Amino acid sequence: NYRCRSAFKLLEIDDKFHILRPGLSVLDCGAAPGAWSQVAVERVNALGTDPSAPTGFVLGVDLMRISPLEGAVFLPEADITDPNTLRAIQSLLPAGKVDAILSDMAPNATGIKDLDHQKLISLCLGLVNLAQNILKPKGTLLCKFWDGHESRVLQNRLKEQFREVRTLKPQASRKDSSESYFLARLYREMKAEKC
Ligand code: SAM
């Protein structure tokens, strides 16, 4: 039983692209109420349910509170855009880094389509910056966005940093016509920032 229907979007994406494997460590951004984290716990074997496979790790972050979930660590009431949240995340990650960053984050919608679009794009751009600190080379970033004129900005930024970027529209999110996901894979080894 999943906490939210959104689980089916991640299941659908993962069945097709196999981004979650036993042993991987995952950061789930915008994790409340916790359905994506449930899927991640199962697929990375965070509970060690399959003793023959490596055990993974799941950390979920959200502005809201999240009911405890066996196999996941939650950082509730935390804003992903706050630098203190980055420090907290780093201190909670076993090796300080993750193999995959998932984001189903959505800002409170104002109903003004263009404004909501822009707010979500800037949240996602923030994630690309966060990746520089916590994503392992060859890692994956999956993020939801609402389509609009700035989607290209995000897509181009992802293409700079990842070898492979796809746009996904899961069947399970068909009803919300502007909702899509970018799946960015093979994070590039980052050279030192230019001054
Ligand atoms: N994937 C979740 C699940 O399956 O249970 C559902 C996520 S829900 C669609 C979007 C979440 O993003 C909300 O819980 C919201 O609080 C969170 N969110 C929005 N902005 C955020 C931010 N700046 N930092 C952390 N979480 C944020």
Side-chain angles (χ1 to χ4, degrees):
N1 275 5
Y2 293 109
R3 294 177 179 187
C4 178
R5 289 194 50 80
S6 53
F8 297 103
K9 294 185 250 178
L10 181 58
L11 287 167
E12 188 183 326
I13 292 169
D14 193 53
D15 283 343
K16 197 158 173 195
F17 296 101
H18 310 289
I19 56 183
L20 303 172
R21 290 188 307 278
L24 297 191
S25 67
V26 173
L27 175 66
D28 180 12
C29 303
W36 276 33
S37 290
Q38 289 177 291
V39 172
V41 164
E42 290 165 9
R43 301 236 159 156
V44 305
N45 194 35
L47 277 169
T49 315
D50 179 356
S52 65
T55 305
F57 179 86
V58 177
L59 173 61
V61 180
D62 204 286
L63 290 172
M64 318 274 282
R65 293 190 187 172
I66 321 173
S67 309
L69 172 69
E70 224 190 329
V73 175
F74 287 138
L75 184 59
E77 299 177 278
D79 185 339
I80 202 81
T81 63
D82 181 341
N84 292 319
T85 303
L86 170 62
R87 281 189 280 276
I89 288 171
Q90 284 173 316
S91 71
L92 288 168
L93 293 176
K97 300 244 171 185
V98 291
D99 299 284
I101 299 175
L102 311 178
S103 170
D104 195 29
M105 283 193 294
N108 279 329
T110 62
I112 304 167
K113 224 181 152 195
D114 210 47
L115 182 61
D116 292 337
H117 156 71
Q118 281 178 32
K119 280 168 96 180
L120 184 47
I121 293 289
S122 55
L123 264 180
C124 294
L125 288 169
L127 280 184
V128 184
N129 292 335
L130 185 83
Q132 293 186 345
N133 296 294
I134 60 164
L135 188 59
K136 290 182 195 167
K138 300 200 170 76
T140 301
L141 189 154
L142 173 70
C143 63
K144 172 161 80 187
F145 68 100
W146 291 319
D147 203 12
H149 64 283
E150 282 179 30
S151 303
R152 278 287 144 129
V153 178
L154 174 59
Q155 189 177 30
N156 289 338
R157 189 75 212 288
L158 289 168
K159 281 181 173 166
E160 280 168 21
Q161 313 241 347
F162 293 83
R163 284 192 193 284
E164 189 194 295
V165 179
R166 293 167 189 264
T167 310
L168 311 180
K169 207 152 169 46
Q171 291 291 316
S173 63
R174 211 170 27 189
K175 277 183 224 113
D176 180 348
S177 61
S178 74
E179 177 181 279
S180 298
Y181 291 82
F182 280 129
L183 173 58
R185 292 202 286 195
L186 296 171
Y187 190 52
R188 296 176 198 273
E189 200 96 46
M190 281 294 128
K191 310 222 167 63
E193 290 274 317
K194 284 186 199 129
C195 302

